[in-house]
Amino acid sequence: MSRIENAGEGETVFGKLAILLEMIKFKLTVFALPFAFTGAFLAARGVPRWPTFFWIVVAMVGARTCAMAFNRIVDHRFDAANPRTAERALPTGAVKRGEAWLLTFGSGVLFFLACWNLNRLTLQLAPLALSLTLVYSLTKRFTALCHLILGLALSFAPLGGWVAVTGSLSGYPWALSLGVIFWVAGFDTVYACLDADFDRQTGLHSLPSRLGRKNAFRLAGVFHFLAFLLFFATGWQQDLNAWYFAGLAVTAGALLYQHLIVSPTDLSRIHASFFSMNGLISIAIFCATWLALATG
């Protein structure tokens, strides 16, 4: 086989990989992964053992990839009908359904393999954690509280990090997971405003389609305020020093900025709000936790 043919095959393989990673928005793993690290570092009161750290990363990547691929499969019909999402990989045929299912099952197996390599309790909690992330994809069909269910699914990230290190739920700061629930519910409610009209017309449920964009924005603000209070309570409960609360100041600024740059009547900068600010929040809280533990 010629070098040109080999190069062509390589480009096809890497091109398909790029499409798959874009389909599942792999880069947004940054939302949940730092919270898993936060739970793990709090449990270890510092840097966990490297094998544990490695398997936490594998578990998080596996779980999120599985959930996102499943979401794209079950929402295929709605994505194809929605002008905002019609160009996604499955509606356009860039990814076949069989390929998406293979990615779903493969990443699910990877998740359970990682949990098996951590400890017994992590493996016991794995079916519940993964089930929540998969069930979320179906909730818009029957409840406007789908944003809170997404938050509940992602709240397993810090809990999973803690259990991966300790093998126990003892001493876990539940305020941290509650904070994640309301943080996620807040930004997902704002993001859902993009599809409020489509959801209403097709019979899908969301807070913006149920309450209207204006009231949904107000509720998202309440969610984010509760999230900040719960993140503050986490630092107090875990006896973290000023570095942690300095990170919370950054978090507060990022939360506020999200509500300043978008409005119910102007969603043009929603991607800056959704992607940049929320990535900053999760990273800031993790880095602040690490610094506080390292200097405490």
Side-chain angles (χ1 to χ4, degrees), residues 37-49 53 165 240 286 289-294:
F37 292 160
T38 298
F41 276 57
L42 285 174
R45 302 307 292 182
V47 181
R49 295 186 310 112
F53 188 89
V165 171
L240 300 177
F286 164 61
T289 301
W290 187 0
L291 279 170
L293 292 170

Side-chain angles (χ1 to χ4, degrees), residues 25-43 46 48 53 56-61 64 154-162 165 172 176-177 180 183-184 187 231 234 240 244 251 275-291 293:
K25 299 296 181 184
F26 184 78
K27 62 186 178 182
L28 297 188
T29 305
V30 71
F31 281 16
L33 190 56
F35 275 105
F37 292 160
T38 298
F41 276 57
L42 285 174
F53 188 89
I56 289 172
V57 173
V58 173
M60 291 299 299
V61 170
R64 189 186 179 280
L154 291 185
S155 73
F156 269 75
L159 177 64
W162 178 282
V165 171
Y172 178 67
L176 179 57
S177 280
V180 170
W183 166 61
V184 172
F187 74 66
F231 291 146
T234 300
L240 300 177
Y244 177 80
T251 297
F275 299 116
S276 302
M277 290 299 102
N278 288 299
L280 173 62
I281 286 168
S282 59
I283 293 171
I285 290 178
F286 164 61
C287 290
T289 301
W290 187 0
L291 279 170
L293 292 170

Side-chain angles (χ1 to χ4, degrees), residues 147-178:
H147 319 288
L148 286 161
I149 295 171
L150 177 61
L152 179 62
L154 291 185
S155 73
F156 269 75
L159 177 64
W162 178 282
V163 172
V165 171
T166 65
S168 168
L169 293 172
S170 178
Y172 178 67
W174 292 99
L176 179 57
S177 280
L178 289 171

